[in-house]
């Protein structure tokens, strides 16, 4: 900190976000000079982005190959970087030959739009001998996002 900086530290379970306003009431701050003793008048400040913000680290656990009878389970529960707050999870694919996008859309709309960190696509929604590019994007309360992509192959044989 410096003579022109005020550092505010919040306790547990803060709800303040970047862009929110902080109001400092009249005569709550006083100058720190030997000669002067000026007090503040009503002040407003906007909460800025942290100097070194934490970005989500997306971890997606899923097999590389699925057998002909296997469901596709994607697990992002090891993803971190939420600052202790709810993370937004969004599964997506560029594969349009099956019902996988509808399953992802349903999962992404759960939990008030925060999505679910894991999703299972039923075997009946997958086509054999097909490559499925999948991406998990996670966003934290600062609006910072990271993504991880992988390709999963649905075999026409047991695995």
């Amino acid at each position: 900190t410096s003579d022109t900086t005020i550092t505010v530290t919040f306790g547990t379970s803060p709800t303040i976000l970047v862009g929110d306003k902080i109001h400092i009431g009249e005569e709550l701050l006083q100058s720190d000079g030997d000669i002067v003793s000026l007090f503040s008048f009503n002040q407003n400040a906007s909460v800025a982005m942290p100097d070194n913000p934490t970005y989500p680290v997306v971890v997606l656990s899923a097999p590389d190959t699925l057998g002909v009878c296997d469901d596709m389970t994607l697990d992002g529960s090891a993803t971190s970087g939420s600052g202790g707050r709810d993370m937004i999870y969004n599964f997506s694919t560029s594969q349009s030959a099956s019902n996988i996008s509808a399953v992802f859309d349903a999962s992404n709309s759960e939990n008030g739009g925060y999505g679910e960190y894991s999703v299972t696509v039923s075997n009946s929604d997958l086509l054999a001998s097909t490559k499925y590019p999948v991406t998990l994007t996670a966003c934290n309360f600062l609006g910072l996002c990271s993504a991880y992509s992988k390709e999963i192959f649905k075999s026409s044989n047991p695995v």
Side-chain angles (χ1 to χ4, degrees):
T1 62
S2 70
D3 291 343
T4 60
T5 302
I6 296 173
T7 301
V8 179
T9 304
F10 298 98
T12 58
S13 301
T15 58
I16 195 161
L17 296 172
V18 172
D20 285 353
K21 304 285 187 218
I22 294 177
H23 175 77
I24 302 170
E26 195 165 329
E27 296 187 7
L28 290 177
L29 293 180
Q30 183 179 5
S31 62
D32 187 26
D34 293 333
I35 301 171
V36 295
S37 62
L38 300 172
F39 285 90
S40 68
F41 54 93
N42 288 328
Q43 300 282 324
N44 289 309
S46 292
V47 176
M49 184 69 80
D51 291 337
N52 296 309
T54 299
Y55 282 81
V57 176
V58 178
V59 178
L60 179 61
S61 175
D64 294 326
T65 303
L66 298 171
V68 67
C69 297
D70 296 339
D71 295 337
M72 179 193 298
T73 298
L74 308 173
D75 183 3
S77 62
T79 297
S80 62
S82 68
R85 299 187 190 190
D86 289 336
M87 187 95 73
I88 297 172
Y89 297 94
N90 188 292
F91 287 95
S92 60
T93 185
S94 58
Q95 216 296 338
S96 60
S98 68
N99 194 33
I100 188 171
S101 291
V103 175
F104 286 171
D105 289 346
S107 174
N108 296 341
S109 67
E110 291 292 325
N111 298 321
Y114 282 89
E116 298 175 307
Y117 59 78
S118 68
V119 63
T120 297
V121 181
S122 171
N123 174 51
S124 63
D125 290 323
L126 301 169
L127 301 174
S129 301
T130 303
K131 293 179 182 178
Y132 290 94
V134 296
T135 300
L136 172 57
T137 303
C139 301
N140 64 19
F141 72 98
L142 296 171
L144 302 175
C145 302
S146 297
Y148 180 82
S149 298
K150 78 176 293 180
E151 190 170 81
I152 300 171
F153 178 68
K154 174 70 170 177
S155 176
S156 59
N157 298 310
V159 174

